[in-house]
Amino acid sequence: MDRVRQVHAQMVVSGLISSPISANKLLKLLGESGFGSLSYAQQVFDRFPERNRDLFLYNTMIKAHSLMAHSAHNAVSLFKSMLWGSRFTPNQYTLVFLFRACGNGLQVCDGEQVRVHGIKAGLEGNLFVTNALIGMYADWGLVDEAKKVFDCSLSRDMFSWNIMISGYIRSGKLDEAKEFFQEMPQHDVVSWSSLISGYVQAGHFMEALDLFHEMLRAGAKPNQFTLVSALSACANLVALDQGRWIHVYIDKSKIKMNERLLASLIDMYAKCGELEFAFKVFQSACGLKTKVWPWNAMIGGFAMHGKSEEAIELFRQLEIKKVSPNKITFVSLLNACSHGNMVEEGRQCFKSMARSYGIEPEIEHYGCLVDLLGRAGLLDEAEEIISSMPVTPDIAIWGALLGACRIHRDIERAERVGKVIKELDLNHIGCQVLLSNVYSASGRWNEAKALRENAELIGRKKTPGCSSIELNGLFHQFLVGDRSHPQTKQLYLFLDEMGAKLKAAGYSPEFSEVLLDIDDEEDKETSLLRHSEKLAIAFGIMNTPPGTTIRILKNLRVCGDCHQAIKFISKVYCRDIIVRDRIRFHHFKDGMCSCKDYW
């Protein structure tokens, strides 16, 4: 910025500042570059003699303001001053920048007024103006209005179609986006990438991968953006084979690696249980670690695998390399401390956010801190943190404390926290299930049963447990007691055999995890054996050679009984079993778990 100021001073001394062409170049440098200053650019513009201003100067400043959400209103103000006295008529660039500004946080009425000026200027049929107008309505979420503009447009290009697809996706209308995509006369990498990304953002990961393979079959070549979405889908499905295939495709196709793509590769391997290989990818990427994204992916990978010390050590390396951390970095660090019972390190990490990096903790960071303290049994301190938060605690924060009450069987506090959550959401099913589990763990069966029955009366159901496994590129999903799979008969015979072997090895079922309306001990044991993760693991053992690692994805937290049973399964069947649940990774080997029973 100092050098830009020097250039400005030289232009003033030499008189070049009075030239609109020279002044325009200075304004672009100040308003659009990373080392400029928009406020300084505005000061330069304001001091420029009004008689010497031309349309290009106005367009440069309108564009600069349109790029910043907090300054978008200034773009419209400049436009109004430009029109004062009818000195200038807007051109296509003026309107494109203004529509972008309006879509960047301004009111609908502002955009409609600009549109009227476009009509007066005879630019409504201009392709660039039309695309910007479609984009403005899409930014507001008014996708139906955007579609009207699209339908009435006499000139369209591929960009017009792609804006509409993006608008449907941002409005959460995936079906309409897919239908619109199918109507396109042709598809380019942007349209494919937008649709695949939309499915990933909506959590439809299998559909996203299906679209990715359809794209390849159609002969379209994916770019980095497409591959980031595809790898994200693989990561969320624990689809290691497909993730590896994409990695090979990147190398064979000589697609240029960037920080985002590198971070996605690291994240995919980490979330598929290949933490060591994720770290190899991180270490081998020379020259691509100047931005924080690869660091966040690797720190997050260590955190979810319970490698707390490694996560903290990598953060220290980030500091040495002078890479600036962001909010996501600290979420991962706090999670790492929580999984590793590193309370003091977590406290210091939280304090350093604002003190050392100027990053104010947000509600997610407070949630991580409450979880850290709660897991460690520091329930009083956790509750004090909630009481002193500068923002209103949400259900997730109170839920973290309630979860800690379950772990440490603090019934009195759990009942108090449950009342707070009930005030926030009268019918919150997660709270009722957690509180029911607290009662169950303490042997208070009547209270637990009453809560479950109340949840049924109001028609609220707990999210069913679902576990999935990938074999030979195909995904197999199991619900508790699932009998929909083609191999159901063989699977349940194998489960009975597995149950006998586990009991012989010393496994004893934890009946506190069983539904309360089951009274018979044998029925309780059978119910436990049919939890979704046990079904998926049994299916994996049945269908893979001895010694093959079993990888399971569970949508909920692994229950205590399944955790204990899987330790026995890993020992009895001599298998490494990797389970990723909603909270973290569990690596089972030789009857032990990587979490050391702290999860």
Side-chain angles (χ1 to χ4, degrees):
M1 186 59 198
D2 290 338
R3 294 187 66 179
V4 178
R5 290 177 187 273
Q6 290 173 8
V7 171
H8 181 206
Q10 290 174 358
M11 290 177 68
V12 171
V13 172
S14 64
L16 278 173
I17 194 64
S18 60
S19 164
I21 295 175
S22 301
N24 195 42
K25 289 181 178 179
L26 177 63
L27 290 176
K28 278 188 176 181
L29 189 65
L30 287 165
E32 298 177 28
S33 66
F35 50 85
S37 166
L38 184 54
S39 60
Y40 190 86
Q42 187 62 52
Q43 289 176 32
V44 172
F45 178 85
D46 291 340
R47 292 177 184 176
F48 198 77
E50 191 170 334
R51 65 181 181 277
N52 290 348
R53 295 177 190 171
D54 60 13
L55 182 60
F56 298 105
L57 280 178
Y58 275 103
N59 281 350
T60 298
M61 287 307 301
I62 289 171
K63 179 183 179 183
H65 285 296
S66 74
L67 297 172
M68 303 289 182
H70 68 273
S71 193
H73 64 282
N74 290 321
V76 176
S77 298
L78 270 172
F79 176 63
K80 290 177 179 176
S81 69
M82 184 189 92
L83 294 175
W84 185 259
S86 300
R87 289 189 60 224
F88 300 110
T89 300
N91 63 12
Q92 64 183 34
Y93 301 106
T94 318
L95 294 170
V96 167
F97 302 148
L98 283 167
F99 285 141
R100 180 192 296 163
C102 292
N104 203 9
L106 298 187
Q107 299 297 315
V108 175
C109 60
D110 295 314
E112 297 287 4
Q113 288 175 13
V114 173
R115 185 179 180 183
V116 169
H117 285 289
I119 295 171
K120 288 181 179 179
L123 293 169
E124 191 179 31
N126 181 278
L127 177 62
F128 298 107
V129 173
T130 298
N131 285 344
L133 183 59
I134 294 170
M136 177 185 74
Y137 283 120
D139 287 338
W140 285 332
L142 301 175
V143 71
D144 292 334
E145 290 298 319
K147 184 65 164 54
K148 287 178 185 177
V149 176
F150 177 87
D151 289 339
C152 294
S153 174
L154 298 176
S155 55
R156 302 171 188 162
D157 61 0
M158 187 62 70
F159 190 52
S160 315
W161 290 87
N162 288 337
I163 295 171
M164 280 304 307
I165 289 176
S166 177
Y168 279 124
I169 289 169
R170 279 181 288 170
S171 300
K173 298 182 176 181
L174 273 182
D175 291 339
E176 289 90 337
K178 183 71 178 291
E179 184 179 336
F180 191 81
F181 176 84
Q182 291 169 342
E183 293 174 2
M184 292 178 68
Q186 60 182 5
H187 306 122
D188 63 4
V189 67
V190 177
S191 47
W192 281 107
S193 299
S194 297
L195 195 59
I196 293 168
S197 173
Y199 274 89
V200 169
Q201 290 167 24
H204 301 309
F205 306 115
M206 288 188 185
E207 292 89 339
L209 280 182
D210 288 342
L211 275 170
F212 176 70
H213 291 299
E214 185 181 335
M215 174 186 181
L216 295 176
R217 287 193 297 271
K221 186 178 179 181
N223 60 16
Q224 291 103 326
F225 183 80
T226 327
L227 294 164
V228 165
S229 296
L231 286 168
S232 177
C234 293
N236 282 283
L237 290 169
V238 192
L240 179 61
D241 291 343
Q242 297 203 46
R244 281 174 173 157
W245 186 91
I246 293 173
H247 192 180
V248 171
Y249 177 86
I250 291 168
D251 291 338
K252 284 189 174 181
S253 302
K254 296 183 179 177
I255 293 171
K256 186 179 179 182
M257 188 70 67
N258 59 25
E259 284 91 348
R260 293 281 191 184
L261 187 53
L262 173 62
S264 295
L265 268 176
I266 294 166
D267 185 61
M268 182 275 294
Y269 280 115
K271 286 181 176 174
C272 289
E274 290 289 328
L275 186 64
E276 290 183 8
F277 196 81
F279 192 50
K280 284 181 182 178
V281 173
F282 175 83
Q283 287 182 309
S284 64
C286 301
L288 283 175
K289 291 183 284 191
T290 57
K291 297 288 189 344
V292 74
W293 305 307
W295 295 88
N296 282 351
M298 198 64 246
I299 292 171
F302 281 134
M304 73 178 76
H305 284 268
K307 302 288 184 180
S308 308
E309 293 179 359
E310 289 86 342
I312 291 171
E313 176 56 33
L314 191 61
F315 178 73
R316 292 191 182 118
Q317 292 181 32
L318 175 147
E319 291 180 308
I320 292 169
K321 298 287 186 182
K322 299 190 182 303
V323 177
S324 298
N326 60 16
K327 293 172 183 177
I328 296 172
T329 318
F330 287 99
V331 169
S332 297
L333 274 176
L334 288 166
N335 277 330
C337 293
S338 181
H339 292 320
N341 195 18
M342 302 175 74
V343 176
E344 187 54 38
E345 290 85 348
R347 289 193 187 111
Q348 293 306 315
C349 170
F350 186 85
K351 290 175 183 176
S352 72
M353 288 180 63
R355 184 180 60 207
S356 302
Y357 299 100
I359 299 174
E360 290 299 325
E362 295 183 355
I363 197 161
E364 193 171 5
H365 301 100
Y366 280 99
C368 292
L369 184 60
V370 169
D371 182 65
L372 164 70
L373 297 169
R375 285 176 189 271
L378 303 171
L379 301 184
D380 288 336
E381 186 179 348
E383 194 164 359
E384 286 173 13
I385 291 291
I386 295 175
S387 301
S388 62
M389 283 172 56
V391 293
T392 304
D394 59 10
I395 289 177
I397 297 279
W398 288 108
L401 183 58
L402 184 58
C405 293
R406 178 191 60 79
I407 294 170
H408 299 286
R409 303 190 180 187
D410 189 335
I411 298 177
E412 182 181 341
R413 194 188 309 266
E415 289 178 325
R416 179 158 39 83
V417 172
K419 288 178 182 177
V420 174
I421 297 177
K422 194 172 182 180
E423 289 174 3
L424 294 172
D425 184 350
L426 182 64
N427 299 322
H428 193 274
I429 185 65
C431 164
Q432 296 192 32
V433 170
L434 264 177
L435 195 53
S436 172
N437 289 342
V438 173
Y439 287 136
S440 298
S442 304
R444 293 172 60 173
W445 304 106
N446 290 333
E447 289 96 327
K449 192 169 185 177
L451 277 172
R452 300 266 184 170
E453 288 174 348
N454 179 61
E456 290 177 7
L457 281 173
I458 60 175
R460 302 293 292 271
K461 292 186 178 180
K462 174 180 176 286
T463 302
C466 176
S467 298
S468 62
I469 180 171
E470 181 197 21
L471 287 181
N472 302 317
L474 296 176
F475 295 95
H476 303 265
Q477 289 187 329
F478 299 90
L479 299 174
V480 59
D482 202 332
R483 290 185 174 272
S484 62
H485 197 276
Q487 294 186 33
T488 292
K489 186 175 180 180
Q490 304 95 304
L491 180 58
Y492 276 82
L493 287 172
F494 187 87
L495 276 173
D496 291 338
E497 177 190 314
M498 186 171 76
K501 286 186 177 181
L502 296 187
K503 286 185 73 175
Y507 160 69
S508 178
E510 293 186 18
F511 292 140
S512 62
E513 305 286 353
V514 185
L515 292 173
L516 300 169
D517 55 354
I518 300 176
D519 297 317
D520 185 82
E521 293 292 307
E522 187 175 342
D523 289 341
K524 287 182 178 181
E525 190 173 327
T526 302
S527 175
L528 285 173
L529 197 57
R530 293 172 183 177
H531 278 193
S532 66
E533 50 267 64
K534 294 191 183 93
L535 288 169
I537 290 169
F539 177 80
I541 294 173
M542 284 171 53
N543 290 279
T544 57
T548 304
T549 299
I550 304 294
R551 302 171 194 277
I552 301 296
L553 173 65
K554 174 78 185 287
N555 67 329
L556 304 175
R557 177 184 174 274
V558 173
C559 76
D561 176 75
C562 284
H563 190 268
Q564 183 69 6
I566 299 170
K567 287 196 287 186
F568 277 94
I569 294 170
S570 70
K571 187 174 183 179
V572 169
Y573 288 91
C574 299
R575 296 289 190 112
D576 287 4
I577 302 173
I578 300 173
V579 178
R580 187 179 119 200
D581 70 6
R582 187 175 60 82
I583 305 295
R584 57 165 294 159
F585 267 90
H586 299 267
H587 292 247
F588 297 91
K589 185 176 182 178
D590 299 328
M592 303 292 288
C593 180
S594 60
C595 75
K596 301 174 183 175
D597 295 335
Y598 187 83
W599 92 102

